[in-house]
């Protein structure tokens, strides 16, 4: 397992990040601990969670349970300094703090609550789960209309959050701050304010990215490279579609799709032909399709760390194995041709 410097943070992280959002719903505490043990043993020491996890479904009564499971693992295993831990504050929505936008005060309260659940004194990377103004992510791009923004109010809110982040860094509660489900304009604005006011820069962005979802490849790619803002790529297996387990439009018992039949809008008429094409690429080159999909993310011309998740140890073992896979130029050419044939299947 290679290690990387995470943008401009000075943090050293594993080339793969462990996703934990099933711990507390699809996975029990014991299963979460077993995944954590396997990840550490394999050198996956960069972990991601959020105050709203677990998912499938997200419920007010279970929010925070994933952080609690990580906390009990840390309490029983020790060695907090082995792990680079990322979590997130939820934005405006119907479940946590209904209708309330993220502010500096909200962020501070959320940090303190996460620290208690995680049983730690500090969070390495603290992320804004989604922007207050909304976004085009999660299939919203098909009907996206940029908001009519009160620029002064938006600037004041961003400044408040960055000022609070600076205080939290000074207090030792967080080490760096990042974005998630953000746009290029949003990221550029955050960076401009940080540089102008001498406040912490947004260090990373966590957006969806996979063979089936490549919105990051143009303007975002440019900003990521120039500003050294790594992509933490969530759903590199497109919620399991790229594994092939849903091929033929089946719904295996106990799978994510058994809880979320359309995989939050990812199941479309176009997606299964696209999945079949990528499964064909993997088969032609003797590759495991999951490992090919994850390894592809690591080939991108912008800094990318795939977030891998699983509900079984066998799945996790396979996904971790992607770290040892190097894709040949022939594989990458096949992938490029397939992408042109199926550019946006959902």
């Amino acid at each position: 397992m290679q290690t990387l410097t995470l943008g401009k943070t000075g943090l050293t992280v594993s080339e793969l990040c462990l996703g934990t959002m099933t711990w507390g719903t699809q996975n029990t505490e014991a299963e979460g601990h077993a995944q954590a043990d396997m990840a550490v043993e394999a050198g996956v020491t960069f972990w991601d969670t959020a105050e709203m996890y677990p998912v499938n479904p997200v419920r007010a009564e279970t929010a925070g349970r994933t952080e609690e499971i990580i906390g009990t693992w840390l309490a029983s295993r020790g060695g907090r300094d082995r792990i680079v831990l990322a979590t997130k504050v939820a934005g405006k929505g119907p479940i946590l703090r209904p209708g309330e936008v993220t502010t500096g005060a909200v962020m501070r309260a959320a940090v303190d609550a996460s620290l208690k659940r995680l049983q730690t004194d500090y969070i390495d990377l603290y992320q804004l789960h989604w922007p207050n103004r909304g976004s085009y992510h999660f299939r919203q791009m098909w009907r996206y209309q940029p908001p009519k923004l009160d620029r002064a109010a938006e600037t004041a809110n961003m400044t408040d959050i960055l000022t609070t982040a600076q205080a939290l860094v000074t207090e030792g509660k967080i080490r760096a701050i990042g974005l998630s489900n953000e746009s290029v304009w949003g990221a550029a604005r955050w960076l401009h304010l940080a540089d102008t006011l001498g406040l912490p820069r947004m260090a990373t962005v966590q957006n969806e990215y996979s063979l089936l979802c490549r919105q990051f490849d143009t303007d975002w790619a440019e900003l990521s490279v120039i500003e050294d803002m790594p992509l933490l790529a969530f759903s590199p297996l497109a919620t399991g579609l790229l594994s092939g387990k849903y091929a033929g439009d089946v719904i295996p018992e106990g799978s994510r799709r058994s809880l979320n039949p359309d995989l939050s809008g990812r199941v479309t008429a176009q997606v299964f032909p696209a999945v079949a094409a990528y499964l064909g690429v993997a088969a032609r080159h003797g590759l495991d399709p999951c490992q090919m999909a994850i390894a592809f993310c690591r080939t991108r011309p912008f800094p990318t760390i795939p977030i891998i998740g699983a509900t079984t140890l066998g799945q996790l073992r396979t996904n971790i194995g992607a770290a040892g896979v190097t894709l040949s130029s022939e594989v990458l050419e096949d992938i490029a041709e397939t992408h042109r044939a199926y550019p946006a299947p959902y």
Side-chain angles (χ1 to χ4, degrees):
M1 186 68 57
Q2 296 182 42
T3 57
L4 313 166
T5 300
L6 188 65
K8 298 181 179 180
T9 64
L11 297 170
T12 299
V13 298
S14 51
E15 63 179 303
L16 301 178
C17 178
L18 179 66
T20 62
M21 68 182 186
T22 61
W23 300 3
T25 48
Q26 290 175 270
N27 289 114
T28 64
E29 179 177 50
E31 289 169 343
H33 286 190
Q35 288 189 28
D37 290 339
M38 177 180 284
V40 169
E41 185 177 351
V44 181
T45 54
F46 185 24
W47 298 2
D48 178 72
T49 190
E51 66 165 345
M52 69 180 284
Y53 291 168
V55 301
N56 296 322
V58 175
R59 295 194 298 258
E61 56 268 31
T62 58
R65 181 60 185 142
T66 304
E67 290 185 329
E68 290 174 351
I69 290 172
I70 294 171
T72 57
W73 184 91
L74 287 170
S76 64
R77 306 300 195 271
R80 168 67 180 89
D81 58 353
R82 295 179 295 169
I83 305 301
V84 176
L85 193 54
T87 191
K88 313 177 197 75
V89 56
K92 181 181 178 181
I95 296 178
L96 296 184
R97 301 177 290 274
E100 188 173 356
V101 301
T102 304
T103 63
V106 164
M107 185 171 72
R108 174 175 283 282
V111 164
D112 287 339
S114 287
L115 288 171
K116 184 176 181 180
R117 288 189 292 266
L118 291 165
Q119 299 192 50
T120 184
D121 296 327
Y122 66 97
I123 294 161
D124 295 288
L125 176 65
Y126 199 67
Q127 303 154 99
L128 309 184
H129 211 150
W130 59 87
N132 287 328
R133 65 186 188 283
S135 74
Y136 52 75
H137 298 281
F138 292 101
R139 270 64 60 211
Q140 296 177 102
M141 67 177 183
W142 302 110
R143 60 183 183 277
Y144 179 65
Q145 296 183 22
K148 293 181 180 178
L149 205 61
D150 182 333
R151 191 179 179 91
E154 186 73 8
T155 298
N157 174 259
M158 288 179 165
T159 303
D160 175 40
I161 289 171
L162 291 176
T163 301
T164 302
Q166 178 65 77
L168 292 168
V169 170
T170 300
E171 294 163 25
K173 293 184 175 182
I174 68 173
R175 298 176 69 185
I177 189 167
L179 299 168
S180 183
N181 298 299
E182 185 56 278
S183 70
V184 171
W185 179 86
R189 186 64 179 159
W190 284 109
L191 293 174
H192 169 77
L193 289 172
D195 290 346
T196 301
L197 301 173
L199 295 171
R201 290 180 118 241
M202 292 296 180
T204 57
V205 62
Q206 184 176 150
N207 286 359
E208 183 171 357
Y209 190 82
S210 72
L211 291 167
L212 300 180
C213 181
R214 295 180 57 177
Q215 295 174 5
F216 206 88
D217 279 344
T218 54
D219 297 80
W220 250 120
E222 179 186 37
L223 185 137
S224 174
V225 169
I226 293 173
E227 299 293 346
D228 196 9
M229 179 181 278
L231 168 65
L232 309 184
F234 75 80
S235 288
L237 298 182
T239 61
L241 282 162
L242 288 165
S243 73
K245 65 184 176 184
Y246 303 126
D249 205 9
V250 301
I251 304 179
E253 185 178 352
S255 68
R256 180 169 178 170
R257 200 177 172 200
S258 70
L259 302 171
N260 184 354
D262 75 343
L263 297 174
S264 300
R266 295 177 179 89
V267 175
T268 66
Q270 308 84 252
V271 80
F272 292 113
V275 168
Y278 285 114
L279 293 176
V281 173
R284 284 194 298 276
H285 296 277
L287 295 167
D288 178 273
C290 295
Q291 293 183 349
M292 182 186 81
I294 294 166
F296 168 76
C297 293
R298 293 285 295 121
T299 70
R300 307 312 296 140
F302 42 86
T304 309
I305 298 175
I307 301 174
I308 58 171
T311 52
T312 70
L313 292 178
Q315 291 170 345
L316 183 59
R317 186 178 296 107
T318 295
N319 293 345
I320 290 173
V325 173
T326 300
L327 301 183
S328 68
S329 58
E330 290 79 11
V331 174
L332 295 174
E333 287 169 8
D334 257 10
I335 287 174
E337 290 179 9
T338 305
H339 174 53
R340 287 180 70 85
Y342 303 97
Y346 58 73

